[in-house]
Amino acid sequence: MRRARTWLPGLLLVTPSIVAIGVFVYGMLGWNFRLAMTDKHDEVSEGKFVGLKNFVDIWDLPRWHLSVQHTIMFTLVFVLGALVLGWFLAFLMEKGVRGEGTFRAIYLFPMAISFVATGIVWRWLMNSGMEQRAVGLNRLFDWIGLPQWQWFRDPDWGMAAMALPAVWQMSGYVMALFLAGFRGVPEELREAARVDGCNEWGVYRYVVLPMLRPVTLSALIILGHISLKVFDLIVAVSGKQIITDVPAVFMWVAVFDSHDPAKGATIASYIVLSVAIFVIPYLIWSVRKERRS
Amino acid sequence: MTAVIGRRRASTGVRLALLIAFVVIFLIPIYVLLVTSFKPLTEADPGQAWNLPRTWTFEAWRVAWEKLAPGLWNSVLLAVPGSLLSCVLGSLNGYVLSKWRFPGADLLFTLFLFGMFIPYQGVMIPLVQLLVNLNELTGLQGVFYGGIPGLTLAHVVYGIPICTLIFRNYYVTIPDELIEASRVDGAGMLRTYWSVVLPVSAPAIAVVIIWQFTSMWNDFLFAVFLTGPTSWPTTVMLNNIAGAQATPYSQQMAAAILASVPTMLIYVLLGRFFMRGLMAGALKG
């Protein structure tokens, strides 16, 4: 144990940040949970402690059920879509192609744009007008003989369409992660497998794929936590419409339109919990892994 | 043997063709943005949706610029000082957590990391309340809540984890002997930071500034909760412009492009650092 004199200055230097994170992250998360456990359903009342009542009651709201279902569908399509497309693009480039830098730059640039700007162009692309009034993809589909549909206004599959802009925006990032993963597999390992009589598919299946697992996990965590809190994109594409409601938009409405802090805090708590459930184990796992190496 | 080479060449061709097909698909939204933004209102009917403009006009750009300019300025006032502040805090934290460690530093770092992943909805209501209270306490109306300083504060604070992470991971690569040598020479913690660590920090500083600038510029959630009409940054203003029924598509698209120009420029000019930020952020989205 080194003496306090050697480490104390360091601790002092990070103290402002510790205090800031303590108050703004942990303090406020706690404050939010406490608010969610009160009956402060308007802005003036004191708010009595009611335990988990709000957490139970919210399941009586059809709108909440809808927003949860929407998030599930959005998450499935977005996470799988971005993962598969990102992996596929990396797979195509893995062995090196001419102009790789250009390809990478084009697939990645959507990440530099805000979801709000993205949403504007995708709202036009996914306009639900048909036949004479069709613009965007419906008009394009008409030309090439594909069926037109309602896109994000489709009552059953609307959220799958809503995930398309998100896939467009994030699959380049996943590609970059996977490409780094592919390149991290030592060539000798592949060569050794080939010498042992593996064909290319076998090399891929038994040598490369297992080594991509950590990258896949990181990508899953990143995409998953973006998906569960998705907000900007939904607002930019369709505003506050119920047909594309998600918890984050519902919370916004609860705070600003219904002026119901307790309800807003309850929804926010559910969003935090849904993310924490898989992020905390992931963080513990990655910190342990780092310490081992 | 020739068959194998032939097959390999064919597969290269197929891969290249697929990659190019994806490039076309990826660029469709950009085509739409550009083409639509240069169209006059007379060519706004759906039948010409995918056509190039017959007459090119900057009219939509002019109007979009007029409407968006205050928001762009607010975003500059937010993102420039904000990313610099983030840099200072992140650098000092990263330095201590990699080279001047204290008992419990690992645990602290993990706790910081969690702050990177929390959905900000989970702190939004208390944050609004705190900023409102700060307004009242200081008597500065529209500064903390409803102002750029409050928004900057939020971004800087919630940016601490990612900035600390980037700097820490970078400083870990500085040999401990360098720090040790400086210590033996009698330099204290800050002196060592100033004369040994800071001079080699440029790459990490670039990564952090780019990362923070981009996320502050593109953020919508904090902005919509914390700012008001006079302090709306680009994203909120853009969303309001585009959300109004009366705004023609050409103006919406031109505004969307204008709003994306700064981050696109950064991406094009400093793409290398942008990539590194993304990789460091492999822990974050």
Side-chain angles (χ1 to χ4, degrees):
Chain A
M1 189 80 218
R2 283 180 292 141
R3 273 202 314 258
R5 259 188 64 190
T6 48
W7 55 257
L8 197 61
L11 184 59
L12 285 178
L13 200 59
V14 290
T15 298
S17 295
I18 297 176
V19 172
I21 296 291
V23 172
F24 282 80
V25 174
Y26 293 95
M28 288 190 176
L29 279 178
W31 182 349
N32 182 72
F33 270 108
R34 214 194 51 191
L35 179 61
M37 289 192 276
T38 67
D39 62 354
K40 188 171 161 58
H41 293 297
D42 54 75
E43 270 155 10
V44 285
S45 68
E46 275 295 311
K48 280 198 317 291
F49 182 80
V50 291
L52 295 175
K53 184 171 182 299
N54 294 327
F55 288 88
V56 176
D57 285 355
I58 198 165
W59 292 96
D60 294 336
L61 303 176
R63 178 167 184 174
W64 174 247
H65 281 264
L66 260 183
S67 74
V68 171
Q69 286 162 15
H70 286 159
T71 306
I72 293 172
M73 184 182 290
F74 180 88
T75 303
L76 282 176
V77 177
F78 166 55
V79 172
L80 283 178
L83 208 59
V84 170
L85 182 56
W87 165 83
F88 188 60
L89 291 173
F91 176 73
L92 292 174
M93 285 196 276
E94 181 229 344
K95 290 185 179 134
V97 283
R98 224 182 311 148
E100 186 193 307
T102 314
F103 283 123
R104 265 209 325 226
I106 290 172
Y107 298 140
L108 251 172
F109 86 88
M111 267 223 68
I113 307 174
S114 65
F115 266 134
V116 178
T118 307
I120 289 172
V121 62
W122 280 90
R123 187 176 51 189
W124 184 89
L125 283 169
M126 301 197 296
N127 191 299
S128 58
M130 293 194 191
E131 311 300 337
Q132 287 308 308
R133 292 175 48 237
V135 294
L137 292 173
N138 272 352
R139 170 79 48 181
L140 201 64
F141 279 22
D142 193 36
W143 282 337
I144 52 180
L146 288 171
Q148 304 183 335
W149 71 305
Q150 294 235 298
W151 299 98
F152 63 91
R153 282 186 218 280
D154 185 283
D156 297 321
W157 298 97
M159 288 313 279
M162 192 60 99
L164 295 178
V167 171
W168 176 75
Q169 193 138 359
M170 292 303 294
S171 49
Y173 182 42
V174 179
M175 171 214 69
L177 285 175
F178 271 120
L179 205 52
F182 275 120
R183 302 269 154 90
V185 179
E187 189 52 36
E188 304 86 71
L189 229 53
R190 299 191 195 206
E191 209 44 61
R194 280 187 203 117
V195 170
D196 287 349
C198 259
N199 57 15
E200 277 310 301
W201 165 246
V203 171
Y204 188 75
R205 171 69 186 79
Y206 297 106
V207 179
V208 180
L209 213 55
M211 291 194 73
L212 288 180
R213 248 176 237 154
V215 176
T216 314
L217 184 63
S218 304
L220 267 178
I221 299 281
I222 292 161
L223 296 173
H225 102 286
I226 291 176
S227 184
L228 291 173
K229 62 180 189 191
V230 63
F231 175 69
D232 325 17
L233 178 67
I234 312 281
V235 173
V237 172
S238 82
K240 298 175 188 171
Q241 297 180 55
I242 303 274
I243 196 155
T244 55
D245 199 38
V246 291
V249 176
F250 193 5
M251 181 225 165
W252 187 37
V253 172
V255 172
F256 281 130
D257 298 346
S258 330
H259 300 284
D260 186 340
K263 192 181 183 185
T266 306
I267 301 170
S269 302
Y270 269 122
I271 301 176
V272 171
L273 286 174
S274 69
V275 170
I277 262 175
F278 65 90
V279 162
I280 292 178
Y282 172 72
L283 280 182
I284 294 174
W285 173 81
S286 41
V287 169
R288 277 208 193 128
K289 200 179 71 168
E290 200 202 65
R291 211 172 292 162
R292 268 202 308 272
S293 62
Chain B
M1 196 62 198
T2 37
V4 172
I5 291 173
R7 215 185 306 149
R8 193 164 291 168
R9 226 174 251 162
S11 96
T12 310
V14 170
R15 280 191 288 140
L16 205 60
L18 280 170
L19 285 171
I20 292 171
F22 277 113
V23 163
V24 172
I25 295 173
F26 266 74
L27 289 180
I28 284 177
I30 302 306
Y31 171 82
V32 169
L33 276 168
L34 283 172
V35 163
T36 314
S37 72
F38 285 111
K39 272 184 189 165
L41 285 178
T42 48
E43 290 178 44
D45 71 289
Q48 305 179 36
W50 289 87
N51 299 0
L52 288 170
R54 266 182 312 225
T55 34
W56 295 68
T57 164
F58 279 95
E59 181 57 20
W61 284 76
R62 195 185 56 75
V63 181
W65 169 257
E66 265 169 27
K67 288 187 183 171
L68 198 63
L72 291 167
W73 180 238
N74 281 335
S75 284
V76 170
L77 289 181
L78 159 74
V80 172
S83 46
L84 291 176
L85 266 172
S86 290
C87 216
V88 173
L89 284 174
S91 174
L92 291 174
N93 291 342
Y95 168 58
V96 170
L97 290 179
S98 59
K99 298 295 178 202
W100 222 271
R101 296 155 53 77
F102 46 86
D106 272 337
L107 176 68
L108 186 81
F109 186 57
T110 315
L111 290 174
F112 269 31
L113 285 186
F114 180 64
M116 203 159 82
F117 277 102
I118 57 156
Y120 297 131
Q121 281 88 359
V123 295
M124 205 54 82
I125 299 174
L127 182 63
V128 168
Q129 195 56 53
L130 179 90
L131 294 178
V132 168
N133 290 348
L134 276 178
N135 272 0
E136 284 167 9
L137 214 72
T138 54
L140 300 166
Q141 278 311 311
V143 170
F144 293 100
Y145 180 69
I148 294 292
L151 185 60
T152 313
L153 174 75
H155 276 294
V156 170
V157 167
Y158 294 107
I160 289 176
I162 180 88
C163 299
T164 304
L165 173 75
I166 293 172
F167 274 107
R168 175 186 172 273
N169 288 357
Y170 180 75
Y171 289 152
V172 162
T173 61
I174 300 177
D176 280 340
E177 291 79 43
L178 272 180
I179 310 290
E180 209 47 57
S182 164
R183 203 185 289 189
V184 169
D185 287 347
M189 180 180 67
L190 288 175
R191 176 101 208 121
T192 307
Y193 173 74
W194 188 253
S195 53
V196 177
V197 174
L198 194 59
V200 297
S201 300
I205 291 175
V207 171
V208 162
I209 288 188
I210 288 170
W211 180 272
Q212 282 299 88
F213 185 91
T214 310
S215 41
M216 288 180 195
W217 191 275
N218 287 344
D219 162 74
F220 180 70
L221 180 67
F222 278 123
V224 91
F225 272 89
L226 303 182
T227 56
T230 54
S231 55
W232 279 334
T234 308
T235 46
V236 179
M237 225 155 225
L238 177 62
N239 189 56
N240 291 348
I241 293 171
Q245 287 296 323
T247 314
Y249 279 128
S250 54
Q251 281 174 30
Q252 296 187 22
M253 303 287 177
I257 300 174
L258 280 175
S260 315
V261 163
T263 49
M264 289 298 286
L265 269 183
I266 288 182
Y267 172 72
V268 170
L269 298 177
L270 300 164
R272 208 159 45 91
F273 295 107
F274 188 76
M275 267 309 290
R276 270 196 233 164
L278 289 184
M279 286 309 168
L283 272 162
K284 191 204 156 92

